[in-house]
Amino acid sequence: HVGRFSDAQFETFVEATAARMLGEGRLGLYWLEREGEPVAAEIHFRGEGVSYAYQSGLDPASLDCEPGRLITIALLQK
């Protein structure tokens, strides 16, 4: 089964929205590395003093270090 994330319309939407938000200074792109390799990432859109976590992903081969939990903790402390 192919998910929504591989849909061309979704990709176009995310790219256009991220580009617009970047131009407005309202895009946050964060990632967590393990031994120099990315294991988790999040895209945030910012507005009115709030950061909205829009999309996240992680490397399934790195689940042993709980990358999703760690990136969430790091961003909450930011």
Side-chain angles (χ1 to χ4, degrees):
H1 171 69
V2 177
R4 284 296 288 167
F5 298 112
S6 63
D7 184 293
Q9 287 181 314
F10 178 78
E11 183 178 342
T12 299
F13 166 77
V14 170
E15 286 180 2
T17 302
R20 187 181 87 239
M21 299 295 249
L22 177 63
E24 296 171 0
R26 299 181 341 151
L27 176 73
L29 176 58
Y30 309 97
W31 65 93
L32 178 69
E33 295 182 1
R34 180 182 187 186
E35 298 178 7
E37 295 295 321
V39 293
E42 287 196 13
I43 297 172
H44 288 211
F45 298 140
R46 296 189 202 114
E48 305 297 322
V50 177
S51 183
Y52 300 93
Y54 178 72
Q55 189 61 53
S56 63
L58 54 89
D59 175 10
S62 297
L63 293 178
D64 63 313
C65 73
E66 301 184 38
R69 185 171 77 80
L70 292 175
I71 197 168
T72 299
I73 290 169
L75 290 171
L76 287 172
Q77 292 178 344
K78 183 177 178 304

